[in-house]
Amino acid sequence: MDEQVVLTLYVAGANPRSERAIQNLRQIGEAFFAGRCLIQIVDVLRRPEAAEVARIMATPTLVREQPQPERRIIGDLSDQATVLKALSISIGGDVL
Amino acid sequence: MVVELQKLSTGIAGFDHVAQGGLPFGRTTLISGTAGTAKTVFACQFLAEGILKHGETGVFVTFEENVEDIRANMLGFGWDIAQWETVGKWRFVDASRGSEEAVFSGEYDLDALIARIRHAVGDIRAVRVSLDSLGAVFTMFPDTTTIRNELFRIASALKRLRVTAVMTAERSDEYGPVARYGIEEFVADNVVILRNVLEGEKRRRTVEILKFRGAMHRKGEFPLTVIPGRGIVVIPLSALELKQRSSSVRITSGNDLLDQMCGGGFFRDSVILISGATGTGKTLVSTMFISGGYANNERCLLFAFEESRDQLFRNATGWGYDFEKMEREGKLYVHCVYPEVAGLEDHLIEMERIIEEFKPQRVAIDSLSALERVSTIKGFREFVIGLTSFIKHKEVAGLFTATTPNLLGGSSTTEAHISTITDSIILLRYVEIYGEMRRGLTVLKMRGSMHDKDIREFRIDSSGMHIGRPFRDVTGILSGTFMYVQPSEIDRMRDLFDGDDQP
């Protein structure tokens, strides 16, 4: 049984960098965690208090909420290998 | 016409004086310093004083220390941040490094941080913002160029928010580049440098305003100290203005003959220096000075740096003065402390506080030279100037004693630093006459008044000081190289200059 994955992506408004990060995250989600991945997107310009609670400094920031422990990846997620390694979520029993 | 930029009073004691009003309003000022220069205290105090003195709210952005530590550390200065947070006067933006390390993949910016700062500022309608410290941001993110750009954007965002901000930054050398990572380039408008220099085994803290673009400020380094319960206190020495009034009212020295020698007593708001070797009677002169004030129903304050309270009181009793009675009546306050217990800046602040509280008409310091031990020459000079200006500003009479290092003749470092700012100088000297030690006294200087030019002999007994006749048959007393002159020779000389103003 694969683990449930909860990811939150913090972006700052609709700009090319945000779009790129969202796009990259969708691709990774569909390719590797289809069906067991919950992705939330938080716009820090609209919800600065959420950024405050999560102590987000940089955008985009991806936070792996589940499984614990928490992991953070800063940047537009353009380097897929780095993102997968940092998320280190097991896929079919293997840890990427 | 010069249009002066509007300034925001920081409320930090002495700093506004040096900054001629405060920090440029609506701008960001970089506070740069090496480790241990009280940058975080400055950043906190900037907000705390705003809350306490001006009713201005503040946002504190911390990149380094965690919020709990700041709250705890600042309690010692009397700033209850937690309480201010609950009433919406203080807001933290916690950007300190979390326990987890982040991984980097691709481009990023600090929009989230800017959004958080903007949110906090808007929420409590902050007037002041502190960011502490920028160097820590560079250690959190690998891409220095991006961070430099982003910090520039933060500075611009703060400007648009119309807040007055301070940002702290680290530097590696006391007299090297302004700050690490070239931070000064994007907040270059205003730069303040805090220093903590080791000088002859003594720490000396200073503040210098390097630049205030488009605004006036005092140049040079000013000593500062960090005091429990108060925070940073800047001592604006060379910024002190010579605007004290000069009084022509005379007050008694506590000795009728000495008053006569001074042309009718000391001036009410003057500073008098008593110089002499150990045992010549300096403490007696300050005791007389105090009892003279007491007799006229004045409040007197004595700072003693050489003798204990018991010794002082016993000495006074030995000369026929009752310090205990004066103290009981609330006319005298004796503050005894060893010079070594604190730095000179701290002594100055403490003395100023006591003067403010006791509100004396007379202040005696016995001895000023004892304080030389705990300071550098430069620090001591600043102390003397600072204290003298303060006393004159308060329009109280000050009497300082200075110990000369040599038993015979000579002068002291204290004199060298203070003689030009004192109004009167009285010298006490040992005089050897045919194998016997006597004591001599002369009024060397009495600003704005005639005075006796003689060197007179005096005796000390159980009823105090008794001033007698001038030494007529000995010369070279001041230099300590005595020459004996035949009385007939003196008479001959006097005849030569007959008609001169002989007393």
Side-chain angles (χ1 to χ4, degrees), chain A residues 17 55-56 59 72 74 76, chain B residues 96 103 105 107 109 116:
Chain A
R17 188 174 292 152
R55 293 174 56 189
I56 305 296
T59 39
R72 293 187 176 209
I74 291 168
D76 62 11
Chain B
S96 60
V103 172
S105 167
E107 295 173 11
D109 53 41
R116 287 165 66 190

Side-chain angles (χ1 to χ4, degrees), chain B residues 255-266:
Chain B
N255 182 303
D256 292 343
L257 261 153
L258 186 56
D259 286 349
Q260 277 178 34
M261 288 178 75
C262 294
F266 302 141

Side-chain angles (χ1 to χ4, degrees), chain A residues 24 27-29 31-32 77-86, chain B residues 105:
Chain A
N24 289 335
Q27 274 173 16
I28 293 170
F32 300 95
L77 313 174
S78 51
D79 179 3
Q80 206 176 73
T82 308
V83 177
L84 284 171
K85 188 160 178 282
Chain B
S105 167

